Amino acid sequence: MEKFNQLKELVASVEADAEKFYNKNSGAAGTRVRKALQQIKTLAQDIRNEVTEIKNKDK
């Protein structure tokens, strides 16, 4: 559950940069958004692997 909470915090933290990029056309904010999305992707894959491992452990 710890990684899931990290994922939620990461999504919340990038919200301001996403707004700056889409509404104010800030290129630097776009770079930060892309970096955060890559971190989100990696963390989501870690969570998927963890869920699969826990699910299969019971079998």
Side-chain angles (χ1 to χ4, degrees):
M1 192 66 182
E2 180 183 331
K3 287 184 181 183
F4 187 76
N5 289 330
Q6 288 176 353
L7 180 65
K8 291 193 310 186
E9 289 174 13
L10 187 54
V11 169
S13 72
V14 75
E15 188 173 357
D17 282 328
E19 186 172 327
K20 287 177 187 175
F21 175 71
Y22 286 109
N23 295 331
K24 298 179 182 176
N25 298 323
S26 171
T31 300
R32 292 189 296 271
V33 169
R34 292 184 66 229
K35 180 180 177 185
L37 288 172
Q38 186 62 43
Q39 292 173 330
I40 289 168
K41 177 183 172 185
T42 302
L43 190 53
Q45 186 62 50
D46 290 345
I47 293 169
R48 284 177 48 95
N49 292 341
E50 185 178 273
V51 167
T52 300
E53 181 182 319
I54 292 170
K55 186 178 85 169
N56 290 338
K57 186 169 43 170
D58 294 336
K59 291 183 178 181

